[in-house]
Amino acid sequence: MQRLIFINLPVHNLARSVTFYESVGGQKNPMFSDHTAACMVFSDTIHAMLLTHEKFSSFTERAIPDAHKTAQVLICISADSRAEVDRLVEAAGTHGGTADPNHPVEYPFMYSRSFADPDGHIWEVMWMDPAAAPPTPDAFEG
């Protein structure tokens, strides 16, 4: 069986978050969605579970941080081209998110930008040409 990833995100307004994630390419899977959660599918292996705060709290006793003020994770998703990176970030900014909360990153073989969803969760969108990447990590230092 192919390994899957499910990213669980607490959201304040489930309907608003579903609309936002549809604008950046997610498709709602009704089989795993109800009034407390929505499964947004990005590929056969990548899913974001949008959970109301009450539902999210049923999985952990830890406090839910305010993602507008703190960063617990940075989620990165690949894109097929530089143009797709730009398209997704601009769509996020147009549909209730924030475009480029972090500085864009550009190397000859890689390009990335980011967006924050309406709840402040940061997603990086990255295109890379592995064939053009330098052979060692020290090539990134500058």
Side-chain angles (χ1 to χ4, degrees):
M1 180 176 150
Q2 190 172 24
R3 196 176 289 257
L4 307 175
I5 185 167
F6 290 86
I7 302 163
N8 296 288
L9 298 173
V11 300
H12 287 285
N13 182 319
L14 186 58
R16 176 187 71 183
S17 293
V18 167
T19 299
F20 173 80
Y21 278 98
E22 287 174 337
S23 80
V24 293
Q27 295 181 328
K28 183 178 173 183
N29 181 342
M31 187 173 181
F32 300 108
S33 302
D34 62 18
H35 68 283
T36 65
C39 178
M40 303 304 294
V41 179
F42 290 93
S43 74
D44 290 342
T45 58
I46 302 169
H47 307 79
M49 291 298 300
L50 308 177
L51 307 169
T52 63
H53 278 229
E54 182 179 19
K55 180 75 164 190
F56 190 91
S57 293
S58 73
F59 295 110
T60 182
E61 293 182 11
R62 292 185 178 190
I64 297 172
D66 181 347
H68 290 288
K69 297 178 181 176
T70 64
Q72 187 174 17
V73 297
L74 296 174
I75 304 160
C76 184
I77 192 164
S78 64
D80 290 331
S81 67
R82 293 172 58 94
E84 185 181 19
V85 169
D86 291 336
R87 184 184 62 74
L88 289 173
V89 172
E90 297 308 321
T94 301
H95 292 93
T98 302
D100 297 311
N102 297 329
H103 296 290
V105 175
E106 188 163 4
Y107 295 103
F109 62 92
M110 185 181 84
Y111 175 65
S112 72
R113 293 177 63 192
S114 60
F115 65 81
D117 73 8
D119 290 280
H121 305 291
I122 297 176
W123 288 71
E124 296 174 323
V125 185
M126 178 265 309
W127 165 83
M128 183 172 60
D129 178 2
T136 60
D138 62 343
F140 292 100
E141 297 174 6

